[in-house]
């Protein structure tokens, strides 16, 4: 795409995000890399060292952090356009909707509640970029009326080709010739690995966890289940081995309290692996009828999902995932930046 003028985009993200790295941080990194490959557009992460706003054409916030309020207020006063990828979805469903509406619509509470800062960020944005239709619906339900465009999460397709199942088995030979369930993600309550392991224990199916321990107490509870076929491999940074794990597994399971949609599940689906995933957060927007959706509260649903998908061996989802390349997503962002400017 040939631009009439060069565009310089300021990026605002959680300065502490990489200390407990998750999907939002992956989204930021890949979005920047893809945008910077497009001729005529440059990006810069705004930090405490940034001086002056004159060189920025537009500012892009990732996440709905209340700490962004002072900067969003400054941009409003200076009449500098900004957009927001909200990366937000209620974990408690209707309860969270009621909470947001109550705090937002009650005059006194509207002035003193922390959600006021989130509403300010959303309502003064030129455009919102939710990742799923359900995320957009949540924002609409709590009264956010701004112009919005769904822009999905993505995959680095070139990186996916680094996968090497043999290298994975060279490092974890005890898993060779075994059916096993894989879960990739930080170890914490939102990811719901405890119910996953209880389900696998009842099925007598090995389960492999890969990721940082975000909640030590939760990890201790997992170990107290005392399931000898639960294997925690820690975080794996070598992409050959990590993506090799996707190729090696029999089922990928992500029964989180919510996902929008879970980049790890998209990666597994790229390798045509059967996916069992939470029904909360907008996952169906990505996986259509190709995944088994579960209520995260129910160990029985998780168990049934795994048992059903173990018989599938492969699901034809690679082509579906290829439409979510970061290059295509960067073009979507750019098209919307241009409309705004």
């Amino acid at each position: 795409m040939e631009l009439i003028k060069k565009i310089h985009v300021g990026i605002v993200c959680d300065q502490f995000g990489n200390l407990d790295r998750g999907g939002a941080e992956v989204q930021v990194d890949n979005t920047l890399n893809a945008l910077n490959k497009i001729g005529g557009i440059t990006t810069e992460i705004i930090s405490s060292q940034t001086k002056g706003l004159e060189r920025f054409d537009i500012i892009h916030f990732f996440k709905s952090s209340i700490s962004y309020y002072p900067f969003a207020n400054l941009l409003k006063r200076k009449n500098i356009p900004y957009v927001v990828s909200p990366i937000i979805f209620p974990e408690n469903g209707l309860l969270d909707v009621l909470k947001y509406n109550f705090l937002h619509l009650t005059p006194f509470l509207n002035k003193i509640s922390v959600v006021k800062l989130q509403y300010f960020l959303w309502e003064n944005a030129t455009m919102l970029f939710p990742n799923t239709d359900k995320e957009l619906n949540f924002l609409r339900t709590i009264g956010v009326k701004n112009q919005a465009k769904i822009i999905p999460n993505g995959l680095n397709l070139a990186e996916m080709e680094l996968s090497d199942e043999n290298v994975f088995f060279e490092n974890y030979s005890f898993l060779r010739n075994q059916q096993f369930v894989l879960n990739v993600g930080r170890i914490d309550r939102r990811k719901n690995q405890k119910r996953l392991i209880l389900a696998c224990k009842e099925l007598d199916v090995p389960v492999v966890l890969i990721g940082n321990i975000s909640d030590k107490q939760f990890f201790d509870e997992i170990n107290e289940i005392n399931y000898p076929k639960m294997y925690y491999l820690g975080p794996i940074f070598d992409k050959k081995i990590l993506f090799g794990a996707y190729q090696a597994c029999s089922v990928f399971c992500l029964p989180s309290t919510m996902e929008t949609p879970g980049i790890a599940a998209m990666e597994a689906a790229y390798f045509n692996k059967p996916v069992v995933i939470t029904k909360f957060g907008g996952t169906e927007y990505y996986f259509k009828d190709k995944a088994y959706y579960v209520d995260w509260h129910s160990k029985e649903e998780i168990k049934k999902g795994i048992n059903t998908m173990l018989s599938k061996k492969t699901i034809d989802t690679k082509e579906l995932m290829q439409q979510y390349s970061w290059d295509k997503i960067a073009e979507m962002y750019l098209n919307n930046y241009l409309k705004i400017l």
Side-chain angles (χ1 to χ4, degrees):
M1 178 182 292
E2 187 175 340
L3 304 184
I4 297 172
K5 59 166 280 187
K6 290 190 175 182
I7 298 175
H8 190 51
V9 183
I11 302 295
V12 183
C13 51
D14 184 355
Q15 62 176 318
F16 302 114
N18 282 323
L19 299 178
D20 192 18
R21 189 172 172 83
E25 288 68 43
V26 173
Q27 186 175 343
V28 172
D29 289 349
N30 284 287
T31 300
L32 266 60
N33 289 337
L35 285 172
N36 289 331
K37 289 194 297 186
I38 300 173
I41 185 167
T42 54
T43 65
E44 177 183 343
I45 294 178
I46 293 174
S47 70
S48 59
Q49 305 304 308
T50 303
K51 293 182 173 63
L53 295 171
E54 298 76 16
R55 64 185 179 278
F56 296 106
D57 296 293
I58 193 167
I59 305 296
H60 191 151
F61 290 87
F62 285 83
K63 295 209 298 196
S64 298
S65 172
I66 60 174
S67 65
Y68 296 163
Y69 169 78
F71 186 40
N73 197 17
L74 175 64
L75 294 174
K76 182 184 179 184
R77 286 189 279 112
K78 288 184 172 288
N79 202 30
I80 297 173
Y82 73 82
V83 297
V84 181
S85 292
I87 313 179
I88 189 169
F89 194 78
E91 291 188 40
N92 299 306
L94 181 59
L95 184 63
D96 280 351
V97 170
L98 292 172
K99 178 190 77 174
Y100 271 93
N101 279 323
F102 179 70
L103 293 173
H104 182 52
L105 298 174
T106 305
F108 174 70
L109 294 174
N110 179 271
K111 291 180 173 60
I112 65 171
S113 68
V114 294
V115 300
K116 172 192 175 181
L117 309 183
Q118 286 182 313
Y119 274 95
F120 182 93
L121 177 68
W122 298 327
E123 292 178 340
N124 289 283
T126 308
M127 189 175 285
L128 302 174
F129 296 135
N131 291 149
T132 73
D133 53 345
K134 287 187 178 177
E135 185 180 2
L136 175 58
N137 185 58
F138 168 65
L139 292 167
R140 295 292 188 239
T141 304
I142 63 173
V144 181
K145 299 177 181 178
N146 299 50
Q147 186 177 0
K149 170 72 176 177
I150 297 172
I151 297 189
N153 251 314
L155 293 175
N156 185 329
L157 300 186
E159 195 175 64
M160 305 298 290
E161 298 307 317
L162 297 173
S163 64
D164 193 324
E165 186 176 354
N166 290 327
V167 174
F168 174 78
F169 282 130
E170 285 170 11
N171 283 268
Y172 304 102
S173 57
F174 60 92
L175 289 168
R176 193 184 292 274
N177 299 322
Q178 285 200 69
Q179 275 196 324
F180 68 87
V181 176
L182 178 65
N183 175 277
V184 177
R186 67 182 83 181
I187 312 298
D188 68 20
R189 294 186 192 281
R190 190 176 78 74
K191 295 295 184 178
N192 201 31
Q193 287 98 343
K194 185 175 178 180
R195 283 190 180 88
L196 167 61
I197 291 159
L198 289 169
C200 288
K201 184 177 182 179
E202 291 188 11
L203 289 168
D204 193 28
V205 176
V207 57
V208 173
L209 307 184
I210 297 174
N212 288 307
I213 298 172
S214 180
D215 185 333
K216 174 71 165 55
Q217 182 181 352
F218 183 62
F219 186 63
D220 290 341
E221 291 175 22
I222 286 172
N223 283 323
E224 285 169 9
I225 295 171
N226 195 29
Y227 181 40
K229 294 181 182 179
M230 188 279 284
Y231 305 106
Y232 172 60
L233 307 186
I236 296 178
F237 301 104
D238 186 318
K239 295 299 172 68
K240 278 187 179 181
I241 300 174
L242 176 61
F243 295 150
Y246 292 123
Q247 288 183 294
C249 77
S250 303
V251 168
F252 182 87
C253 187
L254 198 63
S256 316
T257 58
M258 52 80 65
E259 290 289 351
T260 60
I263 291 175
M266 295 174 70
E267 291 170 342
Y270 180 84
F271 294 106
N272 292 321
K273 290 299 173 176
V275 170
V276 177
I277 194 165
T278 179
K279 64 174 69 169
F280 300 104
T283 49
E284 290 181 49
Y285 184 81
Y286 290 76
F287 301 103
K288 315 302 182 194
D289 61 350
K290 301 289 189 179
Y292 193 106
Y293 300 97
V294 298
D295 183 336
W296 67 270
H297 301 86
S298 172
K299 178 194 67 178
E300 290 304 314
E301 275 199 28
I302 297 168
K303 188 169 123 182
K304 184 179 178 183
I306 291 169
N307 200 35
T308 299
M309 297 307 264
L310 276 171
S311 65
K312 302 288 186 183
K313 294 190 170 40
T314 63
I315 302 282
D316 185 18
T317 45
K318 182 173 182 176
E319 188 175 345
L320 183 62
M321 292 301 109
Q322 284 174 329
Q323 68 181 300
Y324 298 119
S325 75
W326 283 114
D327 291 339
K328 291 180 182 177
I329 290 164
E331 291 280 359
M332 294 173 71
Y333 280 124
L334 178 57
N335 288 336
N336 284 282
Y337 295 157
L338 291 172
K339 288 177 185 176
I340 292 166
L341 296 174

